């Protein structure tokens, strides 16, 4: 009798274990996918001004909910991973012309030029000068998708190919792109200004490209001539402040750091003859032993310290990061500036977001946009599982640029009216 009772109780015990296991798995899924996180409009930080009021009226995406795909879109890690591996859904293939510029040190810089496919909303000639993320170029899917959308909204697009990033373009000097070097981007902008003297510029930078474009604009007032506005997406603002957080395992940043370092090693080693060959006149501080250290590097900071800073003769990593970060140049930018980050970006620690918040509290030309979700350069939108081809970020950048163009057109018309009235008087 007792044996029968024990046997009948065993299935109930097993069922309880199964239910507990299912509950644990569901709990982990809900936590990992962040399913309980709400959807909301992005947090906005700005000074009350005529420009900010106009932007709030003209850019609906700033005040409406950003709704990522229901199943996975609230996870910053999945948004980031999909951006990194997939890029964009059904990526288009815009047609452009590749331009080559020989730099003063013998380096060959390239960029791709895409002409507009429609008339601009205000009828003006406007060129977007675009700087991609780390080791990226015009052939990346997220760049192609954004360029195609911008073209269809009447923008000419010029996209910098980071020095050494294109696999089919050889280096012609012992130097490749670095964290804050603005030389190649400046050469591209100067080419556009000379070739299209009537065009106005919208400056756009993604991730590392955001640091470069902001630093470029702040380096000298002349760099802001003909610039209507600047948009920076998902940058970290200060490499010096970011290096400590990028070595932490919180939000898997150390793992991302390793993956990015591994990609950088692959790119550098693909150009090892141009950078480390016996026939190459290398920077004095760059030694053959640095190549051996490169093989064992497991972080971007180690690569920057052993190789990248030496292209420009910096004595230490601290000096390199201090001088090349845009944080010390942001206050010198006077054109309208929109800074965009995601609160769940696993690469950019929340402590770094105090930099754009503080800037937006002091400068009327700055708006800081912080959605809850989006990851690092993800910002996918969609209903349940499958994302839409265009992302929230693609649409926001073009919408903001359109609004700024209209703002400048309205100012010009008001000035013309005032001048006519003055002449009549």
């Amino acid at each position: 009798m007792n044996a029968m009772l024990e046997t009948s109780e065993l299935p109930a015990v097993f069922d309880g274990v199964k239910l507990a296991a299912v509950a644990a798995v569901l709990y982990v899924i809900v936590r990992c996918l962040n399913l309980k996180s709400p959807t909301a409009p992005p947090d906005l930080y700005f000074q009350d001004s005529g420009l900010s009021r106009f932007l709030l009226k003209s850019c609906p995406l700033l005040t409406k909910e950003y709704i990522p795909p229901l199943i996975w879109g609230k996870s910053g890690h999945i948004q980031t991973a999909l951006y990194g591996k997939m890029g964009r859904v059904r990526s288009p293939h815009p047609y452009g012309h590749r331009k080559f510029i020989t730099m003063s040190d013998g380096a060959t810089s390239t960029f791709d030029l895409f002409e507009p496919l429609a008339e601009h909303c205000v009828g003006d000639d406007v060129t977007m000068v675009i700087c991609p993320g780390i080791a990226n170029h015009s052939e990346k899917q997220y760049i192609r998708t954004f360029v195609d959308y911008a073209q269809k909204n009447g923008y000419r697009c010029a996209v910098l190919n980071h020095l050494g990033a294109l696999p089919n373009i050889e280096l012609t000097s012992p130097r490749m792109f670095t964290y804050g070097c603005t030389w190649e981007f400046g050469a591209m902008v100067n080419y556009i200004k000379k070739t299209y003297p009537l065009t106005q510029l919208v400056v756009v930078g993604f991730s590392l490209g955001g640091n470069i474009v902001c630093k470029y604009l702040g380096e000298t007032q002349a760099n802001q001539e003909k610039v209507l506005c600047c948009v920076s997406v998902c940058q970290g603002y200060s490499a010096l402040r970011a290096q400590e957080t990028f070595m932490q395992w919180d939000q898997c940043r150390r793992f991302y750091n390793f993956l990015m370092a591994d990609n950088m090693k692959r790119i550098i080693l693909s150009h090892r003859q141009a950078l480390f060959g016996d026939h190459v006149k290398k920077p004095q501080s760059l030694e053959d032993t640095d190549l051996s250290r490169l093989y064992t590097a497991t972080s971007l900071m180690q690569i920057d310290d052993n190789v990248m800073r030496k292209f420009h003769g910096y004595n230490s990593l601290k000096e390199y990061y201090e001088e090349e970060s845009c944080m010390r140049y942001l206050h010198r930018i006077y054109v309208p500036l929109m800074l965009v980050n995601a609160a769940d970006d696993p690469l950019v620690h929340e402590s770094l977001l105090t930099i754009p918040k503080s800037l937006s509290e002091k400068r009327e030309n700055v708006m800081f946009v912080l959605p809850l979700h989006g990851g690092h350069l993800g910002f996918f939108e969609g209903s349940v599982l499958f994302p839409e081809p265009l992302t929230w970020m693609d649409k926001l950048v073009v919408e903001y640029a359109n609004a700024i163009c209209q703002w400048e057109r309205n100012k010009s018309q008001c000035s013309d009216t005032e001048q006519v009235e003055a002449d009549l008087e």
Side-chain angles (χ1 to χ4, degrees):
M1 186 69 176
N2 290 337
M4 292 178 61
L5 288 173
E6 290 176 2
T7 303
S8 64
E9 289 175 357
L10 283 177
V13 172
F14 286 136
D15 287 343
V17 171
K18 290 178 182 177
L19 286 173
V22 170
V25 170
L26 290 175
Y27 175 77
V28 170
I29 291 174
V30 170
R31 287 296 301 272
C32 290
L33 296 181
N34 205 21
L35 293 178
K36 294 182 68 176
S37 178
T39 58
D43 290 333
L44 303 177
Y45 302 84
F46 59 90
Q47 294 293 301
D48 183 35
S49 65
L51 173 60
S52 61
R53 290 191 293 271
F54 182 82
L55 289 173
L56 294 178
K57 292 179 182 178
S58 304
C59 299
L61 289 175
L62 292 174
T63 53
K64 65 182 290 189
E65 281 184 297
Y66 161 53
I67 304 177
L70 178 63
I71 300 298
W72 52 266
K74 294 178 181 178
S75 167
H77 295 290
I78 296 181
Q79 288 254 19
T80 302
L82 284 180
Y83 143 73
K85 291 297 182 184
M86 186 176 66
R88 292 290 182 263
V89 183
R90 297 190 297 275
S91 177
H93 295 269
Y95 177 76
H97 296 279
R98 182 151 295 166
K99 305 294 183 180
F100 296 79
I101 301 176
T102 301
M103 307 297 292
S104 59
D105 65 346
T108 301
S109 177
T110 70
F111 69 93
D112 285 25
L113 189 61
F114 305 86
E115 292 297 330
L117 299 177
E119 185 177 353
H120 191 266
C121 64
V122 297
D124 290 342
D125 185 308
V126 187
T127 303
M128 284 192 174
V129 283
I130 302 166
C131 192
I134 185 171
N136 288 176
H137 44 74
S138 63
E139 297 175 9
K140 290 293 183 178
Q141 288 184 324
Y142 78 100
I143 294 294
R144 293 208 311 253
T145 303
F146 176 72
V147 165
D148 179 72
Y149 183 59
Q151 283 181 291
K152 291 174 180 176
N153 279 269
Y155 290 94
R156 179 185 299 107
C157 294
V159 183
L160 180 69
N161 300 311
H162 285 300
L163 202 62
L166 281 171
N168 58 335
I169 302 293
E170 295 292 332
L171 293 177
T172 57
S173 74
R175 178 177 67 83
M176 58 182 291
F177 79 91
T178 54
Y179 168 65
C181 180
T182 60
W183 298 348
E184 287 76 48
F185 184 77
M188 179 180 76
V189 171
N190 289 337
Y191 177 95
I192 295 298
K193 287 181 177 180
K194 292 177 181 178
T195 307
Y196 305 95
L198 297 180
T199 197
Q200 296 175 295
L201 305 178
V202 172
V203 178
V204 182
F206 298 104
S207 192
L208 171 139
N211 179 73
I212 288 176
V213 300
C214 288
K215 180 173 177 282
Y216 168 77
L217 292 178
E219 283 176 336
T220 172
Q221 188 70 33
N223 290 347
Q224 299 178 48
E225 293 176 0
K226 294 190 174 183
V227 173
L228 291 171
C229 63
C230 175
V231 182
S232 164
V233 184
C234 288
Q235 69 151 307
Y237 305 99
S238 171
L240 188 63
R241 289 170 56 171
Q243 64 173 332
E244 182 178 346
T245 65
F246 219 33
M247 293 298 290
Q248 298 170 354
W249 283 101
D250 176 47
Q251 292 294 312
C252 299
R253 271 185 297 277
R254 183 65 182 88
F255 179 65
Y256 287 110
N257 192 350
F258 172 79
L259 293 179
M260 295 169 71
D262 194 58
N263 184 52
M264 280 299 303
K265 283 199 292 186
R266 179 182 56 80
I267 294 173
I268 294 172
L269 291 174
S270 71
H271 296 290
R272 59 164 114 13
Q273 284 302 317
L275 297 174
F276 298 96
D278 295 333
H279 66 287
V280 174
K281 185 179 179 181
K282 301 184 288 288
Q284 291 182 355
S285 57
L286 193 63
E287 302 174 355
D288 292 336
T289 54
D290 294 321
L291 181 59
S292 61
R293 293 193 187 101
L294 178 66
Y295 284 104
T296 59
T298 62
S299 71
L300 287 176
M301 284 68 76
Q302 289 174 319
I303 295 175
D304 287 342
D305 194 19
N306 291 319
V307 179
M308 309 304 274
R309 69 173 176 85
K310 298 180 180 181
F311 291 143
H312 300 287
Y314 286 107
N315 295 318
S316 67
L317 186 64
K318 180 177 183 293
E319 180 187 8
Y320 171 57
Y321 282 164
E322 280 183 338
E323 294 295 323
E324 297 298 313
S325 292
C326 74
M327 186 178 76
R328 59 196 297 264
Y329 296 93
L330 287 170
H331 68 282
R332 301 180 190 174
I333 299 175
Y334 299 99
V335 299
L337 173 63
M338 183 169 73
L339 305 171
V340 184
N341 289 90
D344 65 353
D345 186 337
L347 273 65
V348 180
H349 191 268
E350 61 182 357
S351 63
L352 298 170
L353 302 182
T354 59
I355 297 171
K357 286 179 184 178
S358 176
L359 185 71
S360 65
E361 293 172 355
K362 301 173 183 175
R363 305 297 301 275
E364 287 190 356
N365 63 310
V366 178
M367 177 175 285
F368 177 45
V369 182
L370 184 66
L372 282 173
H373 311 111
H376 191 77
L377 296 180
F379 300 104
F380 291 97
E381 289 186 306
S383 54
V384 179
L385 182 61
F386 297 103
E388 298 175 2
L390 281 174
T391 69
W392 178 85
M393 177 185 68
D394 297 325
K395 292 182 280 190
L396 177 65
V397 175
V398 171
E399 188 175 83
Y400 176 80
N402 287 344
I404 293 296
C405 290
Q406 189 61 57
W407 169 260
E408 292 295 328
R409 170 57 64 91
N410 292 346
K411 284 202 310 182
S412 176
Q413 290 176 346
C414 289
S415 299
D416 291 342
T417 302
E418 291 174 357
Q419 183 61 47
V420 170
E421 291 175 352
D423 293 341
L424 290 174
E425 291 177 359

